[in-house]
Amino acid sequence: MRELPCPYCHSTVSIADLAERYENADPVICNHCFKEFLPSPLADTGHTTEFPKFLGEVIAALIPTQPKDNSEKAAKFFLPRDRRFSLKVMSGLDVGRVHVVSKAVMTIGRDTDVDILIHDKGISRHHARLEVAGTHVWLEDLSTANGSYVNGARISRAQLIPNGTFTLGATRIHLHQEDFF
């Protein structure tokens, strides 16, 4: 069983416990010294938490992936009525720019024909696809050279956590979710 050491007291927390806390949007708190050493994915800390590489891989492995059957895609993706999603650029040339997710399937890249234009030479012209299926948001890398990253792990396709971040090239992007009640 893999474990992650607390940076304060060096006691360990199991990856399974860590992934469960993270999936529930809870901060990771050391069971020994009770200090928070990995904030909640919903926390706006103003900086990027550097996840150990294996932790990102474990969390990505715990999030289920959808089948890539293109015939079912059109029927599965839709915008929810009770919430709205937007993308806020947190770093890079477009820092501060907000893009409203206005369609269930949107393309992200640096070409003028994409739905979400990002000015970053490390991003491909057609870099990634964002897909919304009600309350679930998926990011799919479009077989790019530089890749797409969620929680520090390179992904081909991953479900995004509401109010979490992902990285394309040198640009970090925050997925914001606003609920309507």
Side-chain angles (χ1 to χ4, degrees):
M1 176 183 296
R2 298 208 54 181
E3 296 183 330
L4 182 69
C6 170
Y8 302 103
C9 71
H10 304 291
S11 65
T12 57
V13 64
S14 75
I15 293 297
D17 185 35
L18 178 77
E20 181 181 336
R21 289 181 191 181
Y22 190 83
E23 190 173 41
N24 291 330
D26 295 329
V28 176
I29 298 171
C30 177
N31 294 330
H32 182 73
C33 70
F34 302 106
K35 290 185 179 177
E36 180 180 305
F37 66 93
L38 192 60
S40 160
L42 302 180
D44 184 10
T45 60
H47 67 281
T48 304
T49 301
E50 294 297 329
F51 290 90
K53 184 176 180 185
F54 71 86
L55 174 59
E57 292 169 358
V58 168
I59 290 172
L62 291 172
I63 297 174
T65 59
Q66 276 190 336
K68 292 180 81 170
D69 181 2
N70 288 335
S71 64
E72 297 178 19
K73 275 190 177 183
K76 289 191 175 194
F77 298 114
F78 61 95
L79 293 175
R81 296 177 192 257
D82 62 343
R83 65 194 71 209
R84 178 176 59 189
F85 296 102
S86 61
L87 301 176
K88 182 175 182 182
V89 179
M90 305 301 287
S91 65
L93 293 175
D94 294 334
V95 68
R97 188 167 290 176
V98 176
H99 302 274
V100 174
V101 178
S102 58
K103 299 188 303 188
V105 178
M106 297 181 77
T107 307
I108 304 170
R110 61 178 171 82
D111 200 339
T112 56
D113 69 346
V114 297
D115 299 301
I116 299 171
L117 177 64
I118 304 291
H119 298 94
D120 181 337
K121 290 185 180 190
I123 292 178
S124 298
R125 291 180 301 132
H126 296 93
H127 194 97
R129 182 178 302 116
L130 192 71
E131 300 169 329
V132 181
T135 60
H136 302 282
V137 180
W138 299 84
L139 181 70
E140 181 176 0
D141 184 79
L142 299 176
S143 302
T144 61
N146 291 335
S148 301
Y149 295 82
V150 176
N151 297 329
R154 187 171 181 155
I155 57 100
S156 57
R157 181 175 174 81
Q159 184 175 2
L160 299 176
I161 297 170
N163 297 312
T165 60
F166 60 95
T167 305
L168 307 176
T171 303
R172 188 168 49 99
I173 301 170
H174 174 84
L175 171 69
H176 178 72
Q177 173 182 306
E178 183 180 351
D179 294 326
F180 304 118
F181 295 104

